[in-house]
Amino acid sequence: MNDRTHMSTIAERAVARTPRRLAMRFGGMSDRAIAWLFITPSVLLLLAINIFPLLWTIQLSFTNYRANRPNAPIRYVGLDNYRDILTDPDVWHAMQATAHFVLWSITLELVLGFGLALLINRRFRGHSFWTTIILLPMMLSPAVVGNFWTFLLQPQIGLFNSAIALLTGIDPSSFQMIGDVRLAPWSIIMVDTWMWTPYVMLICLAGLRSIPDYIYEAAEVDRASPWRQFWSITLPMVMPFLMLAILFRAIENFKMFDMVNLLTSGGPGSTTEVASITLKREAFEKWRTGYSSALAIILFVTVFGAANIYVKALNRVKQR
């Protein structure tokens, strides 16, 4: 029995087991109508989960609403919340801290992830085992990673300080990675790089595996050096995958909250207070719901606009 006959038999059984009343009801419907019948529940669920909260947030951003005072009169303030945010030095400090975190974490993850992908792509003995080991950090929850590294970075009992002391001879209690103003931002970058470098490696590895072998064979016939093959073949053909990895990690890092909140809670002081931490403080500590809604909309527009511009640049790279 071939596949077509087998599929026809399955279809006949499905028709035979369909209730007659139901079959008569859907028998006269077009394929487009049936498709919309199946899609409509998903569309309604999407509207309920995503679109409605977004519209409600936009509405609240023009008011002085406070969630801890639900019975207080709501006053329309126009663009005052947006003006206050754009002139607030604390918000700009948070945006600067977010940019520092996003820039350095993506750079390190891209360099390390691409390097690991080049090594794994060589298919050496045991490469499957080492690939699994490398992917382990990515499989953990950010909350678990935050608690895990909070323990490791403790100056007295943390293994990280002990390892640094073993390598350099420095007193492990003489520095605090998450308690020092200069080291705390780099602690977050280090932990994020440790966790998400495997993700970038997977994307880069997919790009490397998509390059046909005959291209390298033709380059070897032309006596191209490995360095020339890398710059003329590997890097240009993997570039769309690299840009895709940058896009995904930039969006995720821009809204990073749980790991930063567990590691430093924005401290010491406001050194590591990224935009998501500022949003949390305004919404759930100061209870300025209208103000925080405006901040959320500004962050959404920033990410959406930057991602839209970046995707257009990515499409240009793919068309080359």
Side-chain angles (χ1 to χ4, degrees):
M1 181 183 295
N2 56 26
D3 294 340
R4 182 174 297 178
T5 304
H6 181 64
M7 294 299 295
S8 299
T9 303
I10 294 176
E12 292 173 359
R13 291 177 181 175
V15 172
R17 294 180 180 179
T18 303
R20 181 176 180 83
R21 183 178 299 177
L22 189 64
M24 293 179 62
R25 180 176 299 178
F26 292 105
M29 296 180 64
S30 63
D31 292 342
R32 186 180 183 86
I34 294 176
W36 272 108
L37 183 65
F38 284 100
I39 293 175
T40 300
S42 300
V43 173
L44 294 177
L45 184 62
L46 177 65
L47 292 174
I49 295 177
N50 292 330
I51 306 301
F52 172 73
L54 177 61
L55 295 177
W56 192 39
T57 302
I58 294 175
Q59 179 182 352
L60 291 179
S61 68
F62 296 104
T63 67
N64 67 337
Y65 178 71
R66 290 177 177 265
N68 63 334
R69 301 175 184 174
N71 297 324
I74 301 176
R75 182 169 55 88
Y76 177 79
V77 296
L79 298 176
D80 290 350
N81 288 330
Y82 291 92
R83 184 181 65 250
D84 294 341
I85 290 171
L86 295 177
T87 57
D88 190 346
D90 292 335
V91 172
W92 285 106
H93 179 271
M95 296 298 290
Q96 184 179 359
T98 304
H100 179 268
F101 168 65
V102 171
L103 177 64
W104 281 105
S105 59
I106 289 179
T107 301
L108 293 175
E109 290 168 14
L110 200 65
V111 173
L112 295 176
F114 189 41
L116 289 173
L118 290 173
L119 292 176
I120 297 298
N121 192 48
R122 293 180 179 273
R123 299 179 182 274
F124 54 88
R125 184 176 181 181
H127 77 280
S128 298
F129 170 78
W130 289 110
T131 301
T132 304
I133 296 298
I134 293 172
L135 292 178
L136 284 178
M138 187 185 70
M139 301 177 186
L140 301 175
S141 168
V144 174
V145 172
N147 286 317
F148 173 69
W149 275 94
T150 300
F151 175 76
L152 289 181
L153 296 176
Q154 292 297 321
Q156 299 294 338
I157 59 176
L159 296 179
F160 182 83
N161 283 35
S162 299
I164 296 297
L166 182 63
L167 295 175
T168 62
I170 301 175
D171 184 6
S173 60
S174 62
F175 64 97
Q176 299 183 17
M177 290 298 297
I178 56 178
D180 187 271
V181 174
R182 295 171 299 175
L183 297 178
W186 295 104
S187 300
I188 297 175
I189 293 171
M190 177 183 65
V191 175
D192 186 80
T193 302
W194 175 82
M195 182 177 181
W196 291 111
T197 292
Y199 177 78
V200 178
M201 183 199 73
L202 281 180
I203 296 178
C204 295
L205 188 61
L208 292 173
R209 297 281 172 86
S210 67
I211 302 176
D213 293 334
Y214 67 83
I215 298 180
Y216 289 106
E217 294 172 358
E220 292 178 356
V221 171
D222 292 338
R223 297 180 179 181
S225 64
W227 188 249
R228 174 53 60 185
Q229 292 180 29
F230 173 80
W231 283 106
S232 300
I233 300 175
T234 304
L235 192 59
M237 299 194 72
V238 178
M239 185 59 66
F241 293 87
L242 294 176
M243 296 184 67
L244 196 64
I246 293 174
L247 175 64
F248 289 159
R249 290 308 306 142
I251 294 176
E252 288 297 323
N253 283 356
F254 194 87
K255 61 181 184 180
M256 178 66 68
F257 170 77
D258 39 11
M259 191 174 65
V260 178
N261 189 52
L262 288 169
L263 278 172
T264 63
S265 297
S270 59
T271 306
T272 59
E273 185 169 320
V274 293
S276 58
I277 300 295
T278 301
L279 182 60
K280 186 262 295 187
R281 294 191 192 282
E282 296 293 338
F284 301 109
E285 294 181 11
K286 300 179 181 179
W287 295 103
R288 302 171 66 187
T289 309
Y291 183 90
S292 61
S293 298
L295 178 57
I297 295 301
I298 290 176
L299 296 178
F300 170 77
V301 172
T302 301
V303 174
F304 183 81
N308 190 27
I309 296 173
Y310 190 87
V311 167
K312 291 181 179 180
L314 180 61
N315 291 331
R316 294 194 189 99
V317 173
K318 289 182 178 180
Q319 292 173 0
R320 293 179 182 177

